[in-house]
Amino acid sequence: RGRSDRSQDFADAESTNTSPLVSYVMQGNLFFDSVTAQFSSPLPSSGISGEIRMVDTFCEDSAGTSVGSLQGLIAVASRGGCTFAEKAYNAAMHGASGLIVVSSDGPAVVMGGEIEIPIPAVMLSTTDGAQLQDGLSATIAQPVFSPSTEPDNVDSIFEEV
């Protein structure tokens, strides 16, 4: 994959000791490592795709959108102003198919919360989030292989036919 050359440094999760579930966000030919929220709906095996829409912090007082106005779009919110779960709830109630939260202070963290949200929610680092472009399509997906499922013969997958 065409990842950026910087290593992803995952910060400690907020109020949790669980390991981050790594996912990625793809826009055009750019791939960004992301961290899936604890309260996130599971990503379908094909991921989710859609046009992205920047929505500021997406807290109740700054949402500025009407119910259903994000139908089928992936909302992109900046960190801060309210809880992660509130951002995800607002995105879901406005019809978004997913939420990307951009860290305001460096690396992505695991977004904790005690609520179940019916859409996938992930966080990007500040640097990666700054590269997303409003109005363009993006995809949120899981890696094809994880350390526990990578086949023993991974090298044979890349052999020339």
Side-chain angles (χ1 to χ4, degrees):
R1 298 194 309 196
R3 293 186 186 275
S4 60
D5 60 353
R6 25 179 216 287
S7 64
Q8 181 67 45
D9 178 24
F10 296 115
D12 291 334
E14 291 184 359
S15 70
T16 181
N17 293 323
T18 61
S19 299
L21 176 58
V22 177
S23 51
Y24 67 88
V25 174
M26 179 179 69
Q27 188 176 51
N29 62 352
L30 300 174
F31 286 79
F32 306 109
D33 289 329
S34 60
V35 180
T36 305
Q38 287 181 317
F39 52 78
S40 176
S41 173
L43 279 164
S45 59
S46 61
I48 62 165
S49 294
E51 182 180 317
I52 64 171
R53 179 72 43 84
M54 305 298 188
V55 292
D56 192 31
T57 60
F58 213 48
C59 297
E60 186 175 340
D61 61 349
S62 64
T65 56
S66 59
V67 173
S69 63
L70 297 175
Q71 195 65 41
L73 302 176
I74 298 172
V76 179
S78 57
R79 185 176 181 180
C82 60
T83 67
F84 299 131
E86 186 176 348
K87 291 174 191 303
Y89 177 81
N90 287 337
M93 293 301 102
H94 286 83
S97 61
L99 172 68
I100 300 169
V101 175
V102 177
S103 178
S104 59
D105 57 2
V109 299
V110 176
M111 297 182 287
E114 298 293 324
I115 188 170
E116 290 184 34
I117 302 296
I119 62 172
V122 300
M123 182 180 276
L124 289 179
S125 70
T126 305
T127 304
D128 289 345
Q131 295 183 57
L132 288 178
Q133 295 182 28
D134 190 35
L136 296 182
S137 292
T139 299
I140 302 173
Q142 294 175 330
V144 175
F145 302 119
S146 69
S148 62
T149 62
E150 186 171 323
D152 294 333
N153 62 344
V154 70
D155 292 334
S156 67
I157 294 171
F158 300 105
E159 290 177 4
E160 289 188 61
V161 179

